[in-house]
Amino acid sequence: MKLVKVKDYQEMSKKAAQIIMDQVKTKPDAVLGMATGETVIGTYEYIVKNFKQELLSFKQVSTVNLDEYIGVKRSHPTSYYYFMNEKLFKYIDIPHDHVHIPNGSGTDLQAECEEYEGIIERLGGVDLQLLGIGHNGHIGFNEPGTPFQTRTHIVKLAESTRDANARFFKTREEVPTHAITMGIETITKSRKILLLVSGKEKAPIMERLINGEVEECVPASILKLHPSVTIIADEDALSMLENDCVKVLTHD
Ligand code: F6R
């Protein structure tokens, strides 16, 4: 695991956007794994701001998103489909049919999960997967205790995740109880992984991730076994770690 320590959210976002844009420059038909949530908004803003100046095209790129709520229509502002369109896709030249997001309002959700795995396989796997981390260590919506071998599946969201995501809804009751998510095995099959972590409220989980064991009660801990993971974390997110420990892990 390579840990890149940055000053703040802006610097994290800028570096992450550069890594994603470099991936597209070196492989114009790259398959990008996308995430939603507050952590990645700045990264998408940088990409949108820079893609014209960088003479970058996403015409050959394909994307697969990590997850989607169940029971929320794609046209609804709280859906991840809507989020991706508003934050990124409508500003870049990616063809509509190259964008893949689980459909959480379909009628056969089990078939949707299997089909999603098929899509990733047909695309030849993910080149670069972008991730955020939940306060409880979740990646995608794989909550603590999810077996490491899971593929795309339906999950019941932890109440702490519903609390954390309530800020995007009018009331706590509106936060969906279930979602479709890529599984942990699906995520870790990606050739490269980029995990972004920002803010003091993520400091306890960062401390646990860096100093703790690889265990299913901290889903993100599996990333320690992956051959190509870069974590970009800001000073606040690393504030519970000893400086020496950060140095040992930092190569940049
Ligand atoms: C989103 C996702 C989640 C978030 C995580 C952090 O697609 O899969 O794992 O990355 O919940 O969310 P924020 O960035 O809002 O703190």
Side-chain angles (χ1 to χ4, degrees):
M1 255 181 358
K2 172 178 165 181
L3 177 63
V4 181
K5 183 178 180 177
V6 293
K7 190 170 173 298
D8 55 19
Y9 182 86
Q10 288 307 326
E11 199 184 338
M12 176 192 77
S13 305
K14 205 171 168 178
K15 274 199 191 307
Q18 203 53 59
I19 290 172
I20 294 169
M21 292 188 291
D22 286 348
Q23 171 69 66
V24 175
K25 279 181 203 160
T26 47
K27 190 178 177 199
D29 61 347
V31 178
L32 301 177
M34 310 310 262
T36 59
E38 214 157 296
T39 311
V40 295
I41 291 177
T43 303
Y44 296 153
E45 280 171 0
Y46 268 100
I47 294 176
V48 169
K49 213 164 89 189
N50 286 293
F51 109 100
K52 278 203 179 111
Q53 285 104 298
E54 301 256 348
L55 299 174
L56 198 61
S57 172
F58 288 78
K59 276 198 175 125
Q60 296 179 64
V61 168
S62 298
T63 62
V64 284
N65 259 78
L66 282 168
D67 41 22
E68 179 60 283
Y69 289 124
I70 287 178
V72 177
K73 288 211 176 75
R74 289 186 149 184
S75 56
H76 196 272
T78 56
S79 79
Y80 286 172
Y81 184 93
Y82 191 96
F83 175 103
M84 287 309 299
N85 204 39
E86 287 302 309
K87 304 291 180 207
L88 182 66
F89 296 144
K90 76 177 188 189
Y91 301 105
I92 59 174
D93 59 348
I94 189 165
H96 184 67
D97 60 348
H98 286 205
V99 166
H100 306 281
I101 301 176
N103 183 1
S105 46
T107 44
D108 188 345
L109 296 173
Q110 196 48 50
E112 176 67 24
C113 294
E114 281 152 36
E115 171 57 13
Y116 206 65
E117 286 288 325
I119 290 171
I120 297 171
E121 218 163 282
R122 284 196 292 281
L123 289 171
V126 174
D127 289 301
L128 176 64
Q129 175 67 56
L130 179 63
L131 294 179
I133 187 171
H135 301 94
N136 60 6
H138 75 210
I139 48 174
F141 271 140
N142 294 286
E143 302 288 23
T146 307
F148 285 149
Q149 297 79 19
T150 44
R151 290 155 66 93
T152 301
H153 63 293
I154 296 165
V155 284
K156 181 171 171 9
L157 299 176
E159 288 307 310
S160 61
T161 298
R162 295 186 67 223
D163 289 340
N165 290 2
R167 65 194 192 278
F168 298 113
F169 294 81
K170 281 200 198 101
T171 64
R172 164 72 165 71
E173 288 62 45
E174 275 178 50
V175 186
T177 54
H178 290 77
I180 293 182
T181 182
M182 277 188 199
I184 294 181
E185 193 177 289
T186 323
I187 293 171
T188 52
K189 270 205 237 155
S190 308
R191 287 182 271 285
K192 281 175 282 177
I193 293 178
L194 177 59
L195 171 65
L196 307 186
V197 197
S198 171
K200 274 220 175 337
E201 69 283 6
K202 297 282 171 74
I205 191 61
M206 271 310 276
E207 193 278 328
R208 199 161 170 205
L209 172 65
I210 302 295
N211 289 334
E213 304 290 316
V214 175
E215 48 190 354
E216 288 178 350
C217 59
V218 182
S221 65
I222 191 69
L223 301 178
K224 291 178 152 186
L225 304 182
H226 190 283
S228 183
V229 173
T230 301
I231 304 177
I232 306 180
D234 66 12
E235 285 172 6
D236 281 347
L238 295 172
S239 57
M240 284 176 69
L241 282 156
E242 301 285 333
N243 254 340
D244 283 356
C245 162
V246 175
K247 272 191 211 128
V248 170
L249 272 162
T250 303
H251 307 278
D252 205 347

